[in-house]
């Protein structure tokens, strides 16, 4: 089943790419496919080489930010280092 096709131009737009990858994302994250496909398309196009056949999926990473939710997701150009929260208290037993 073909849901969307991409034009043969060198690089698709964010909306074209998002429409093409939305069904794949919807199979794993139903209800969030619009937001996630737009973010994934934006991230992929930010690092896309001149020849799209040379695209490497390892150039896009996802990092969970402590206290953040899906609605606060953003594409960041550059490097992001995920780490634990700073502080000495890691676990506290409630009495």
């Amino acid at each position: 089943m073909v849901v969307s096709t991409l034009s043969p131009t060198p690089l698709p737009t964010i909306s074209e790419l998002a429409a093409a990858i939305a069904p794949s994302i919807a199979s794993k994250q139903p209800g969030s496919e619009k937001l996630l496909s737009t973010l994934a398309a934006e991230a992929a196009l930010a690092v896309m080489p001149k020849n799209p056949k040379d695209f490497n999926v390892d150039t896009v990473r996802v990092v969970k930010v402590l206290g953040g939710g899906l609605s606060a997701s953003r594409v960041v150009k550059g490097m992001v280092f995920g780490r634990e929260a700073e502080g000495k208290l890691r676990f506290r037993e409630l009495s």
Side-chain angles (χ1 to χ4, degrees), residues 14-31:
I14 290 177
S15 59
E16 290 174 336
L17 188 55
I21 63 176
S24 296
I25 293 176
S27 69
K28 298 293 181 185
Q29 294 290 325

Side-chain angles (χ1 to χ4, degrees), residues 49-66:
K50 289 183 182 183
N51 183 359
K53 291 181 180 181
D54 295 333
F55 179 74
N56 184 357
V57 296
D58 292 330
T59 57
V60 177
R61 294 282 180 203
V62 177
V63 176
K64 170 76 169 95
V65 176
L66 186 64

Side-chain angles (χ1 to χ4, degrees), residues 14 17-18 21 37-47 74-77:
I14 290 177
L17 188 55
I21 63 176
S37 63
T38 303
L39 290 171
E42 184 181 347
L45 288 175
V47 296
R74 301 286 180 264
V75 173
V76 177
K77 293 177 183 168

